[in-house]
């Protein structure tokens, strides 16, 4: 079975930084796009960032562009999300997810097949 696992989030003050990682087993990374999503309260999940493992295509939501960076370590089959200059509105449960797509990645959560359990990120003002 496919298993997607995020690292533990945390509590950080506004302006601070936090890094998340995502690993997955039971799938071949080269066949997938891996994305980060967040879900806060009553809103729909928001696509934060994604990368297609083979094509290298990346996507960033406008709300995080310039502050968040997605990178990958192919040797470790691990995706990272570096979050800098965090704001209180970044507070959410963050999820890592995998979509069977080699050369593009989508910012829409509806495209993704496999999801991690989520991790809480809280930014205090």
């Amino acid at each position: 079975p496919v298993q997607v696992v995020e690292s533990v989030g945390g509590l950080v003050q506004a302006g601070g930084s936090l890094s998340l990682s995502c690993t997955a087993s039971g799938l071949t990374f080269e066949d997938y796009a891996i994305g980060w999503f967040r879900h806060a309260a009553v809103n729909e999940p928001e696509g934060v960032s994604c990368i297609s493992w083979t094509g290298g295509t990346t996507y960033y939501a406008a709300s995080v562009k310039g502050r968040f960076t997605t990178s990958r370590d192919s040797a470790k089959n691990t995706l990272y999300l570096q979050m800098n200059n965090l704001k209180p509105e970044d507070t959410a449960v963050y999820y890592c997810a995998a979509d069977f797509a080699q050369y593009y990645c989508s910012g829409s959560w509806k495209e993704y097949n496999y999801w991690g359990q989520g991790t809480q990120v809280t930014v205090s003002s």
Side-chain angles (χ1 to χ4, degrees), residues 24 27 29 36 38 42 47 51 55 72 80-81 94 101 104 116:
L27 56 81
F29 268 64
W36 289 101
R38 63 187 182 187
V42 299
I51 185 168
R72 61 186 175 178
Y80 301 97
L81 182 66
Y94 282 70
Y104 72 94

Side-chain angles (χ1 to χ4, degrees), residues 16-115:
S17 298
L18 193 64
S19 180
L20 300 177
S21 65
C22 170
T23 60
S25 59
L27 56 81
T28 302
F29 268 64
E30 287 77 9
D31 293 334
Y32 284 80
I34 311 294
W36 289 101
F37 296 83
R38 63 187 182 187
H39 192 199
V42 299
N43 299 330
E44 274 205 356
E46 177 189 12
V48 174
S49 177
C50 66
I51 185 168
S52 65
W53 213 260
T54 295
T57 304
T58 57
Y59 160 84
Y60 292 96
S63 58
V64 306
K65 198 171 290 185
R67 299 188 298 123
F68 290 13
T69 303
T70 292
S71 62
R72 61 186 175 178
D73 185 332
S74 297
K76 296 181 179 180
N77 280 351
T78 301
L79 183 74
Y80 301 97
L81 182 66
Q82 177 65 41
M83 302 181 289
N84 297 327
N85 190 22
L86 282 159
K87 304 176 182 181
E89 51 264 41
D90 294 318
T91 295
V93 177
Y94 282 70
Y95 296 88
C96 180
D99 172 29
F100 186 67
Q102 290 183 312
Y103 298 105
Y104 72 94
C105 70
S106 170
S108 170
W109 64 273
K110 297 177 181 179
E111 300 285 329
Y112 287 74
N113 311 104
Y114 303 105
W115 291 79

